Amino acid sequence: MKKILVTLAVVLSMVFSLGATAFADSHEGAKVRVVHASPDAPNVDVYVNGELTLEDVPFKADSGYLDVPAGTHNVEVFAAGSEYMEGDAVLQADLTVEAGKAYTVAAANLVESLEFVVAEDSMEVSEGMTKIRVGHLSPDAPTVDVGLIGGDAVFAGATFPGITDYMELEAGTYDLEIRTPDGTQVLPLEGTELAANTVYSVFAINTADSLEVLALVDYQGAGSPEEMPATGLGTPEQNTMMYLLLAGGLVLVMGGAFAFRSRFQN
Amino acid sequence: MHSAVVFKTSVFLLSLLLFAGCAPVDEVAVKTETIGFEAEAPSERVAPAVKSAVQPTENPINAALSKGISPQTIRIPSIGVEAPVQHLGVNDKGEMAVPDEINEVSWFEPGYNPGQNGRAVIAGHVDGLEGPAIFWDLADVQAGDVIEVAGEDETLTFEIYKLESIPLALADVSEVFGYTSSPELVLITCSGTYNREWGTREERLVVYAKLIN
């Protein structure tokens, strides 16, 4: 009896894994965005599965979202222009991505202890709202809060190398600041306009003595109709009229030629 | 030469008419019967446009959002199209609205602006009651052809990378009008066979282009 149960479990798991494979094979891939966030690292080349995918990426640059098939990919980072040798990367990771999801992959920390920081990105926001998260990618900066100037923290206790969850807020203009938990301002962000239907990632980057902000838009929503436009007013009859006229003309011409030839032969 | 082509075409159409027992010939259906392309090897996989982070002295979060332009005219030099752009939304059937004027096009205003990340959509008629309309030749564009969209004080250039003729039932509207992390332009017109019951053609010709400057 026990044996039968085990067999059944194996069959079931086979069925489920087949289902999972079929799902992953759907046309939908994953989206991956690469960010160079290592302040003292040179420009880099990024290889995915041994193929040069991003070339000469400077500090503070991001790749925009690239379409990547779902599955596990070998991601390797080299100093820009280096010859590719498998296993020689300054940074390597096997990155698993799921269909229909989006990810940010940041190369972070100082070059001597370079590391990947990976986060799943949101591609949706409630109608009329704005959505934001922050990432602490400044290797030597202390724990910080991001909050309203003279008001509450929106994100409290962000530490390197962490990326917070998203927070959904009313769209509008906010006087924000990055500050230490004791309230000392590190970086002012006054007049921050957070647009409706938009998802932001705000990364604190560079070293603590020259802290700056790298802001990326993860998603922006817009209106869509229910149906495609009806972009033809004509019907085949109207097109046909033209051809009937042409064809009629042709018959006349051919008839004329025949008449001409007959006369010539006579 | 030109008359020879006309002559051949006429003979062809005449034979079609005779053969089909005088069933109407639908030129749009004929020319969009087998159509579509997609530029191979999207360049982004090889050398994507790596953009430097904008670090204005102003607030960097505000600079992250691209605003795009308010489109006024469109030009497609390869097929000789130049037209004013109306700003429209949806009609009472929930369809993207289209101009009454067959030599003008419409931009779907509730969607993305040209130049903003996402797909800005512009539609135009393939034919009108009296014959060809502004997008009559849209099926003839090739990958690499450019589309210029002029705003009030800026002109954006897009490069065509894909064309497809999609049966209406299979059209993924949210995809065609959807978000992309770089600015794109989509042009739509009617294609396929005229369906009397539906009162419209059975397919839509969709052209996809990417911002190149």
Side-chain angles (χ1 to χ4, degrees):
Chain A
M1 184 62 192
K2 197 175 173 187
K3 198 173 171 186
I4 293 170
L5 276 179
V6 169
T7 314
L8 190 65
V10 169
V11 170
L12 274 178
S13 68
M14 277 173 70
V15 168
F16 281 124
S17 59
L18 277 175
T21 311
F23 204 76
D25 279 348
S26 74
H27 72 284
E28 208 179 12
K31 288 183 183 303
V32 175
R33 172 174 73 184
V34 178
V35 180
H36 183 327
S38 172
D40 64 339
N43 291 6
V44 297
D45 293 341
V46 180
Y47 288 77
V48 177
N49 301 326
E51 244 177 81
L52 180 60
T53 303
L54 296 168
E55 206 172 350
D56 207 17
V57 183
F59 173 50
K60 296 192 275 196
D62 81 282
S63 64
Y65 284 107
L66 307 174
D67 291 318
V68 172
T72 301
H73 303 281
N74 177 24
V75 182
E76 293 169 290
V77 176
F78 289 80
S82 333
E83 195 158 335
Y84 176 76
M85 284 275 283
E86 203 184 341
D88 269 10
V90 290
L91 185 60
Q92 186 278 334
D94 290 322
L95 179 69
T96 301
V97 295
E98 288 176 45
K101 293 190 172 177
Y103 303 84
T104 295
V105 177
N109 212 336
L110 299 173
V111 71
E112 65 191 22
S113 42
L114 203 60
E115 60 185 296
F116 279 127
V117 177
V118 181
E120 191 184 320
D121 304 345
S122 170
M123 292 280 167
E124 55 184 20
V125 53
S126 306
E127 175 67 27
M129 301 292 279
T130 193
K131 209 159 145 182
I132 183 172
R133 67 175 173 185
V134 298
H136 186 320
L137 298 179
S138 173
D140 59 341
T143 298
V144 294
D145 293 350
V146 178
L148 295 167
I149 294 175
D152 290 342
V154 181
F155 301 96
T159 55
F160 178 83
I163 296 177
T164 68
D165 289 338
Y166 287 97
M167 190 83 86
E168 204 162 77
L169 305 169
E170 297 285 338
T173 303
Y174 293 86
D175 288 329
L176 296 174
E177 64 178 355
I178 300 179
R179 62 190 179 217
T180 54
D182 66 9
T184 311
Q185 188 180 79
V186 181
L187 193 74
L189 292 165
E190 284 153 322
T192 297
E193 293 159 18
L194 298 178
N197 308 316
T198 306
V199 180
Y200 298 86
S201 287
V202 176
F203 300 115
I205 55 166
N206 216 337
T207 48
D209 55 3
S210 48
L211 194 74
E212 54 189 313
V213 154
L214 173 63
L216 301 177
V217 172
D218 305 348
Y219 171 79
Q220 189 178 16
S224 174
E226 286 162 45
E227 302 289 342
M228 298 288 270
T231 38
L233 297 171
T235 61
E237 286 80 5
Q238 282 135 14
N239 287 332
T240 307
M241 279 306 289
M242 207 164 69
Y243 301 126
L244 284 176
L245 286 173
L246 267 175
L250 191 67
V251 167
L252 283 178
V253 169
M254 285 172 78
F258 180 72
F260 179 76
R261 205 164 59 176
S262 307
R263 217 170 49 189
F264 184 76
Q265 279 171 349
N266 286 338
Chain B
M1 185 63 189
H2 183 70
S3 55
V5 172
V6 170
F7 180 78
K8 269 191 190 162
T9 313
S10 309
V11 170
F12 169 67
L13 290 167
L14 181 64
S15 56
L16 257 183
L17 279 174
L18 293 174
F19 193 73
C22 282
V25 170
D26 184 345
E27 197 182 351
V28 173
V30 171
K31 71 189 219 170
T32 59
E33 199 176 10
T34 53
I35 194 168
F37 63 76
E38 180 162 12
E40 51 184 86
S43 57
E44 65 174 2
R45 295 305 301 276
V46 186
V50 172
K51 53 182 190 239
S52 295
V54 185
Q55 289 293 346
T57 48
E58 292 284 304
N59 190 315
I61 300 173
N62 297 350
L65 206 59
S66 54
K67 302 270 193 301
I69 61 170
S70 168
Q72 306 299 311
T73 58
I74 184 171
R75 245 168 57 83
I76 313 172
S78 65
I79 53 169
V81 164
E82 183 157 8
V85 179
Q86 297 187 11
H87 297 183
L88 301 177
V90 291
N91 64 17
D92 52 12
K93 293 182 207 159
E95 299 166 345
M96 173 183 174
V98 288
D100 294 334
E101 171 56 56
I102 66 160
N103 288 314
E104 297 190 2
V105 298
S106 61
W107 163 57
F108 185 66
E109 192 175 18
Y112 299 99
N113 289 58
Q116 194 177 25
N117 288 351
R119 288 183 168 148
V121 180
I122 289 178
H125 291 289
V126 67
D127 57 6
L129 296 174
E130 325 233 298
I134 190 70
F135 279 167
W136 180 255
D137 290 326
L138 192 62
D140 298 334
V141 297
Q142 303 291 323
D145 287 359
V146 297
I147 306 167
E148 292 166 10
V149 179
E152 268 137 14
D153 41 32
E154 194 185 353
T155 298
L156 302 177
T157 306
F158 296 84
E159 186 181 293
I160 294 170
Y161 69 90
K162 181 176 163 185
L163 175 150
E164 59 186 0
S165 191
I166 326 173
L168 269 183
L170 300 181
D172 185 346
V173 178
S174 61
E175 183 74 23
V176 172
F177 291 76
Y179 182 73
T180 50
S181 67
S182 58
E184 295 200 8
L185 180 70
V186 167
L187 305 182
I188 303 177
T189 194
C190 279
S191 58
T193 309
Y194 189 85
N195 185 315
R196 250 154 257 281
E197 207 175 308
W198 300 352
T200 185
R201 294 188 180 278
E202 290 178 351
E203 298 183 13
R204 292 295 177 269
L205 188 75
V206 185
V207 171
Y208 299 85
K210 276 181 193 231
L211 184 69
I212 53 170
N213 77 353

